[in-house]
Amino acid sequence: MKTIILPLIVLAAAILPSKANEPAKKAPNQPKGNVTFEYRFDDDLQQTADSIARQELWFRDAKFGAFIHFGAYSTLEGEYEGRGNGFRYSEWIQISAQMSSDEYHKVAAKFNPVEFDADEWAKTFKDCGIRYVVITSKHHDGFALFDSMVSDYNIVDYTPFKRDIIKELSEACHKQGMKFGVYYSHAQDWDEPDAPYLNKRCKLSILHPEMPDDFEPDMDRYIMKKSLPQVEELMKNYEIDLIWFDTPVGMNMERATLFSDMVRKYRPDCLINSRLIHRGKGKIEKQYLPLYDYVSIGDKEVPTKKLPLYVESPDSVSSSFGYKTKGNCYYHTEKEMIHRFVNTVCAGGNALINNGPMGNGRLDPEAVRIYSAMGEWLKVNGESIYGTVRNPLDERPEWGDISARKDGKTVYLHIFEWPESGSISVNGLPAEVASAVYLATGEKAGFSQEGSFLKIILPAQPLNEYDTVIKVSLAGSEVSTELAEKAWAKLAGKSVARPEFKFVENKPALPNVLIYGDSISIHYTQRVREKLNGHADVYRLYCNGGDSSSLIPKMTKMHDAMRDENLDAPWTFQWEVIQFNVGLHDLKYLSGKKLDKENGKQVSSLEVYQTNLRDIVAYLKKLAPDAKLIFATTTPVPEGADGRFAGDSVKYNKAALEVLRDYPEIRINDLYGMTKPHQPEWWVQPGNVHYNETGSNAQGDEVVRVIRTVLLEKK
């Protein structure tokens, strides 16, 4: 057994009740009768500002997640020695088959998913339109899919596989630009006699026949021994964007706070779900809202109404969550799955749709087929899902559902059932309709409107067998580009007259590229725009980039100035690529505001520069979570340059690369190495840090090459 983290136990013991078995405040209970959404969600519920901020970093726009139930149970496929196949969830086989801990350990010891390929999984999910992935790091069986120092009952120490699935999949998902989360069963653990459990199909004496008859379980002892230390390991050792707790039997405010505080300590932006303290169909209680960020509703539950809190539905492509072939099991049709997905999004939530991989490590082919059908639908209709908000009207229409853009100027009509009447109607629109277009073809839909009542005439047949989407633009949504140009001119000031800083009108069909950098990048900006014309909209900061401490305030100023809702149409900030370059202004020596190598002080020491760079990376990841980041190294400084020493650029580039080794997903554009051999021919003049037209064009061509490579990789 590996060493338990003792300091953590001592620290948390001071927070828990002084007597191990002393009753704590009552936990929120599952209502036995009324489980309607009206009962469970009071209208005045409101999430904390911190939780909303964490959601808005990426979660609210993501909409589509892949849930993965994978573990030793996957090899049994829902049955053990002819037992247990009557229960719908195969991951509960230890309980449904009444297996002792020793019996289940023998199954776990043989778990060897040799065909597991994290990169293949991640690419499959990404190709299907999935934006985040959540996998079982430890399910109720107590077996962990990560290398734990707390307990050797894990895939690395206990099985012939010897690999850390959580680490591999986390890295693969982030490489694909997806967010990554872990499911962790914090209360139930059938391998631990001290842990409580919900299902009465199996007695403790069957799970642990070795325990004496007078054994008294101590939940707090279990929390301190295993559960809380393993959550600490996950937060410290892995890049986790979301943690999904489950079945909070026995949890109360004191215990739940321990877990919430542990997550916040190491990963302040990591999302926490409500099953930390509330069961899936339990009533949401106000006092627990600060402990978590969003609500996980019941298993395979689709909201029937708009809800006051942001929710996520833990759905599944099949009736089980773990892989199941034994006993009763069914898969949803593609149509069912798309309708469940769309209804969840239109009610104001995300759909976390589960697949159970096979015991050999391969994804379930039927799950992949269903995901792929959803992905094909999203390729055409994705704008009606990603980044949208819930149905703005009072009711869900009988023919389907409605989603909307955040600015309130566009609604999307999702037609599930094609009416025999040949038309659909919408009542309650807040403005006159300017246009209606079928997303499947781009063709206009015929309509008539009287007041807030809209009638759309439909073709004889649906344009999509699952969900035909009509994009309805309301009057006033075609915003004049002139407003955005004026806002940009005010922001850029006198520099707006230079071609490098001119306003760029957004072309929605093209990816958006942002260049942030010093005056070197200013000189090659136009070259980049020319080369990428028709392939990408290329923007750059409204002024010279400055030293590393100025990136965040300057970027924030630009975004604040250009985020007026009236400017969303001509100017968008859905960045595909951000190339940033800092360093040249950090290695300057100044006395006051004057360049002075003899008596001046360097703008940023190497240590400060590295700290600033880490802050920049964190900021950009929050600002544009789906963007590919490119860091451009600082170009060489010549002998005799005013305020700079020639060798400093090498030192600062080395310091930058030391930091960026922690972020392998960031592409390095080595402009220093590319420029260095051509110093004599490319510098404007000896001692000047800038480059002539030949040099600037060559640098621009290199920037274009790297950006094009990245854009191709993102397709």
Side-chain angles (χ1 to χ4, degrees):
M1 182 68 69
K2 292 183 178 179
T3 304
I4 297 174
I5 306 171
L6 290 176
L8 173 63
I9 297 175
V10 174
L11 172 65
I15 304 173
L16 288 170
S18 57
K19 294 181 181 179
N21 293 310
E22 181 178 313
K25 293 180 181 178
K26 187 177 180 181
N29 290 319
Q30 179 97 345
K32 295 179 180 179
N34 192 348
V35 294
T36 62
F37 285 107
E38 287 80 3
Y39 170 78
R40 287 149 55 190
F41 289 82
D42 292 336
D43 290 338
D44 61 347
L45 291 174
Q46 187 173 358
Q47 279 155 324
T48 67
D50 285 350
S51 290
I52 293 172
R54 277 187 284 270
Q55 291 175 16
E56 290 182 342
L57 290 176
W58 64 271
F59 188 69
R60 286 197 179 203
D61 290 340
K63 305 303 182 186
F64 188 9
F67 210 4
I68 304 170
H69 277 63
F70 188 47
Y73 47 80
S74 304
T75 62
L76 299 179
E77 302 181 6
E79 182 178 280
Y80 175 73
E81 296 184 351
R83 311 194 308 264
N85 62 30
F87 191 56
R88 66 182 185 271
Y89 292 165
S90 69
E91 65 274 15
W92 281 68
I93 187 64
Q94 186 176 358
I95 295 294
S96 61
Q98 299 196 32
M99 299 171 65
S100 71
S101 181
D102 286 344
E103 282 182 292
Y104 195 80
H105 275 213
K106 292 174 183 177
V107 174
K110 295 178 182 178
F111 184 44
N112 192 20
V114 292
E115 296 188 54
F116 168 73
D117 186 330
D119 289 324
E120 181 183 349
W121 282 22
K123 186 177 186 306
T124 298
F125 297 145
K126 180 67 178 291
D127 290 346
C128 294
I130 288 163
R131 296 293 178 88
Y132 66 108
V133 173
V134 180
I135 185 173
T136 48
S137 64
K138 187 201 77 153
H139 203 260
H140 310 322
D141 59 0
F143 179 77
L145 290 187
F146 61 99
D147 187 11
S148 174
M149 295 297 292
V150 174
S151 167
D152 60 11
Y153 193 43
N154 67 75
I155 195 166
V156 176
D157 293 318
Y158 209 78
T159 78
F161 191 59
K162 304 296 181 189
R163 285 162 53 191
D164 189 330
I165 284 180
I166 300 303
K167 183 176 188 298
E168 292 182 25
L169 190 58
S170 171
E171 292 173 352
C173 288
H174 286 120
K175 188 164 61 176
Q176 290 289 342
M178 294 184 293
K179 298 297 183 181
F180 180 78
V182 291
Y183 170 113
Y184 186 87
S185 178
H186 60 312
Q188 283 202 97
D189 190 319
W190 304 324
D191 198 55
E192 295 288 336
D194 280 321
Y197 64 100
L198 285 171
N199 201 298
K200 302 306 180 184
R201 288 177 175 83
C202 187
K203 296 179 180 179
L204 181 63
S205 60
I206 294 175
L207 288 173
H208 295 282
E210 75 281 3
M211 302 307 295
D213 293 340
D214 60 351
F215 174 73
E216 291 286 341
D218 185 337
M219 183 177 180
D220 293 326
R221 183 166 58 200
Y222 154 69
I223 288 174
M224 304 319 304
K225 172 187 173 184
K226 183 178 182 181
S227 186
L228 192 63
Q230 281 196 330
V231 169
E232 182 177 34
E233 287 182 317
L234 289 166
M235 294 301 108
K236 285 176 64 176
N237 300 333
Y238 302 86
E239 188 176 351
I240 305 295
D241 303 301
L242 181 155
I243 185 163
W244 216 95
F245 294 110
D246 198 18
T247 60
V249 56
M251 294 302 292
N252 53 40
M253 178 66 85
E254 292 84 355
R255 289 166 179 155
T257 299
L258 286 174
F259 289 95
S260 183
D261 287 351
M262 183 63 75
V263 174
R264 299 285 177 249
K265 175 182 177 182
Y266 292 102
R267 296 199 169 272
D269 293 331
C270 180
L271 290 157
I272 300 172
N273 73 327
S274 60
R275 292 199 191 181
L276 169 68
I277 186 72
H278 288 293
R279 297 178 189 174
K281 292 188 177 181
K283 183 174 176 60
I284 302 302
E285 300 186 37
K286 286 183 181 180
Q287 68 265 35
Y288 300 117
L289 288 172
L291 296 176
Y292 59 86
D293 297 307
Y294 70 90
V295 176
S296 296
I297 55 178
D299 291 359
K300 297 181 63 60
E301 188 177 33
V302 176
T304 57
K305 66 184 294 287
K306 295 187 291 185
L307 300 171
L309 304 179
Y310 200 79
V311 303
E312 178 189 65
S313 171
D315 209 338
S316 181
V317 298
S318 74
S319 53
S320 178
F321 281 78
Y323 184 64
K324 188 170 195 235
T325 63
K326 313 290 178 61
N328 293 330
C329 181
Y330 66 85
Y331 289 85
H332 291 287
T333 65
E334 301 97 311
K335 184 176 183 178
E336 284 177 323
M337 212 66 251
I338 288 173
H339 287 187
R340 294 168 69 85
F341 173 39
V342 173
N343 281 150
T344 298
V345 171
C346 292
N350 288 6
L352 183 64
I353 300 176
N354 180 81
N355 72 93
M358 297 183 286
N360 61 9
R362 295 196 65 80
L363 293 173
D364 175 6
E366 185 65 7
V368 172
R369 188 185 67 78
I370 294 170
Y371 277 159
S372 297
M374 298 177 71
E376 288 301 310
W377 181 84
L378 282 164
K379 286 177 183 177
V380 176
N381 301 289
E383 72 168 86
S384 70
I385 295 295
Y386 303 121
T388 60
V389 295
R390 66 187 188 175
N391 179 3
L393 306 184
D394 293 335
E395 300 291 337
R396 175 185 289 173
E398 61 182 14
W399 40 259
D401 219 326
I402 301 174
S403 58
R405 297 232 65 82
K406 294 177 182 177
D407 60 11
K409 299 165 186 171
T410 306
V411 295
Y412 299 92
L413 312 181
H414 297 264
I415 308 174
F416 295 166
E417 304 298 333
W418 212 247
E420 293 182 2
S421 65
S423 67
I424 60 169
S425 60
V426 182
N427 196 14
L429 290 176
E432 184 180 348
V433 172
S435 66
V437 178
Y438 293 101
L439 289 186
T441 62
E443 296 177 356
K444 292 183 178 180
F447 67 90
S448 61
Q449 186 177 13
E450 292 185 14
S452 64
F453 183 85
L454 172 70
K455 182 178 181 180
I456 294 183
I457 309 302
L458 302 174
Q461 299 295 326
L463 304 185
N464 182 278
E465 60 182 311
Y466 309 127
D467 174 8
T468 299
V469 182
I470 301 177
K471 178 180 181 179
V472 176
S473 300
L474 303 180
S477 61
E478 299 300 322
V479 182
S480 172
T481 302
E482 182 181 350
L483 295 175
E485 285 189 280
K486 288 181 178 179
W488 180 256
K490 183 177 180 181
L491 177 67
K494 293 180 180 179
S495 65
V496 76
R498 295 180 55 174
E500 299 92 344
F501 296 106
K502 71 176 183 180
F503 173 80
V504 176
E505 183 177 355
N506 180 253
K507 295 175 280 298
L510 298 181
N512 294 331
V513 174
L514 173 65
I515 296 175
Y516 180 103
D518 51 41
S519 52
I520 308 299
S521 73
I522 295 175
H523 291 165
Y524 62 63
T525 291
Q526 280 307 98
R527 180 73 167 190
V528 174
R529 282 179 173 158
E530 291 167 6
K531 291 283 187 175
L532 290 179
N533 184 35
H535 300 281
D537 284 333
V538 179
Y539 302 85
R540 72 152 291 117
L541 186 70
Y542 59 91
C543 61
N544 198 357
D547 65 86
S548 57
S549 69
S550 68
L551 185 148
I552 294 175
K554 286 184 175 180
M555 287 283 287
T556 301
K557 182 179 179 181
M558 181 176 76
H559 273 250
D560 287 347
M562 301 303 290
R563 282 307 288 169
D564 187 298
E565 66 177 22
N566 291 327
L567 310 181
D568 280 351
W571 185 288
T572 177
F573 285 104
Q574 300 295 326
W575 302 118
E576 295 284 337
V577 178
I578 298 177
Q579 171 163 309
F580 64 106
N581 162 242
V582 288
L584 189 63
H585 287 263
D586 290 89
L587 51 85
K588 291 194 299 189
Y589 291 82
L590 299 177
S591 289
K593 294 185 178 180
K594 294 183 178 180
L595 296 172
D596 187 346
K597 287 197 285 190
E598 292 185 6
N599 304 307
K601 182 180 179 182
Q602 202 161 32
V603 172
S604 304
S605 68
L606 289 171
E607 293 77 14
V608 169
Y609 178 62
Q610 288 184 313
T611 297
N612 290 345
L613 193 55
R614 291 186 190 279
D615 291 342
I616 288 169
V617 171
Y619 170 80
L620 293 177
K621 283 178 173 287
K622 289 183 182 180
L623 181 74
D626 294 327
K628 178 68 177 181
L629 302 183
I630 303 171
F631 177 80
T633 55
T634 298
T635 53
V637 173
E639 293 291 342
D642 290 341
R644 297 175 177 90
F645 290 102
D648 282 352
S649 54
V650 176
K651 297 176 185 176
Y652 277 70
N653 284 333
K654 182 179 178 182
L657 295 178
E658 286 177 358
V659 170
L660 296 176
R661 273 198 289 270
D662 293 337
Y663 308 95
E665 69 278 11
I666 297 179
R667 181 68 58 88
I668 305 299
N669 186 351
D670 186 15
L671 285 185
Y672 179 93
M674 176 262 180
T675 303
K676 180 67 174 174
H678 304 283
Q679 293 180 48
E681 56 191 285
W682 286 0
W683 270 323
V684 172
Q685 60 190 41
N688 191 310
V689 297
H690 297 109
Y691 297 88
N692 59 30
E693 185 177 0
T694 301
S696 289
N697 284 344
Q699 290 170 342
D701 291 345
E702 174 64 9
V703 171
V704 168
R705 182 189 69 79
V706 175
I707 290 173
R708 276 183 170 165
T709 300
V710 167
L711 288 173
L712 286 172
E713 290 173 351
K714 286 179 68 68
K715 285 186 177 179

